[in-house]
Amino acid sequence: MQQSSTRGAPRAHRPPTPAPYLMALLACAAATASSIALAGPQAGLPVEHLEAWLRSIPAWAFVLAFVLLPAFGFPISLFYLTVGAVFPTPALSLAVAWGCMSLNTALAYWVARVLAHPVERLLRRRGYPLPHLPDGAQWRAIVLLRASPLPVLMQSWLLALGGARFLPYMVFGLPVEVLVAAGLVLLGESLFQANLGWVGVGVAVVVLGQMVLVGLRRRLRGDTSVI
């Protein structure tokens, strides 16, 4: 009897999802944050010294650095985690973080657009042409890239150099960034307040946000028009 030719065909290998590793990392971060929140004031941990130093920075200088520095490579996540020391009210720290993030996102776009031609020429000489985002699927590509684990500045540059229009870049990209920022801001707030309740809130927002982003990536990867 003739055997089917598909029986011996190798199965397509699906790359493992990073979600389990991410959740394990977040669990470790939660445990560490909880320990600091509970033992920080009694153990004399350096979080108090860091908070005192951050509070000595003028608010306008912190905001200016928050807007400018991440557009040139400084990790924006450090601003998310420390904004609560400069603006100790959770609502105010979230509002400042989201406002600075929005201005920084716009700045990164225009910096990338100004440097687009020399960067594109350099990449083409090295054999790496940049893909152009199709007009009809730009919003999907923007959400997919913003939901990826790539550094935020790299996301902004890839979108700007790929031809994303400014309005969709901001309208569809900012909600994803807001979700990521909220968890980190609340987590940083909890560390400076030594409040276990805020640690739980911050970690919960981070975990839920990452679950939403993983779901978005899985759903949008099925649409080949965004590649």
Side-chain angles (χ1 to χ4, degrees):
M1 181 180 295
Q2 185 178 1
Q3 295 183 349
S4 172
S5 59
T6 60
R7 180 175 298 179
R11 293 183 178 179
H13 176 68
R14 298 182 62 184
T17 174
Y21 305 101
L22 179 61
M23 295 307 168
L25 181 61
L26 289 173
C28 294
T32 303
S34 301
S35 300
I36 294 175
L38 290 174
Q42 293 78 15
L45 293 177
V47 65
E48 292 182 343
H49 304 291
L50 175 61
E51 182 179 11
W53 178 76
L54 288 169
R55 288 186 183 276
S56 69
I57 301 174
W60 65 266
F62 183 88
V63 167
L64 186 63
F66 198 157
V67 172
L68 295 179
L69 294 184
F72 300 95
F74 193 87
I76 196 171
S77 57
L78 295 182
F79 285 103
Y80 292 151
L81 291 170
T82 56
V83 67
V86 183
F87 301 93
T89 305
L92 180 59
S93 61
L94 281 172
V96 170
W98 288 337
C100 292
M101 175 204 67
S102 301
L103 293 174
N104 172 261
T105 299
L107 177 62
Y109 178 90
W110 291 114
V111 169
R113 294 294 291 176
V114 168
L115 300 176
H117 292 299
V119 170
E120 189 171 359
R121 285 197 301 268
L122 176 63
L123 292 176
R124 283 182 175 175
R125 280 202 301 267
R126 295 179 176 273
Y128 299 107
L130 286 171
H132 182 75
L133 301 180
D135 292 336
Q138 279 201 4
W139 74 270
R140 292 177 181 268
I142 292 167
V143 174
L144 180 61
L145 193 55
R146 285 302 188 197
S148 73
L150 293 174
V152 175
L153 182 61
M154 184 180 294
Q155 297 172 9
S156 300
W157 274 68
L158 287 174
L159 290 170
L161 296 177
R165 298 191 305 275
F166 181 71
L167 186 58
Y169 166 88
M170 296 293 289
V171 170
F172 297 110
L174 283 181
V176 181
E177 293 187 80
V178 163
L179 187 63
V180 174
L184 293 177
V185 170
L186 293 176
L187 184 59
E189 185 86 24
S190 70
L191 297 180
F192 291 115
Q193 292 187 3
N195 187 317
L196 186 59
W198 278 113
V199 171
V201 172
V203 171
V205 173
V206 172
V207 171
L208 290 175
Q210 290 301 322
M211 291 175 64
V212 170
L213 297 184
V214 169
L216 278 174
R217 288 199 297 269
R218 287 179 176 175
R219 183 167 184 176
L220 293 178
R221 277 174 183 165
D223 189 345
T224 57
S225 64
V226 303
I227 305 302

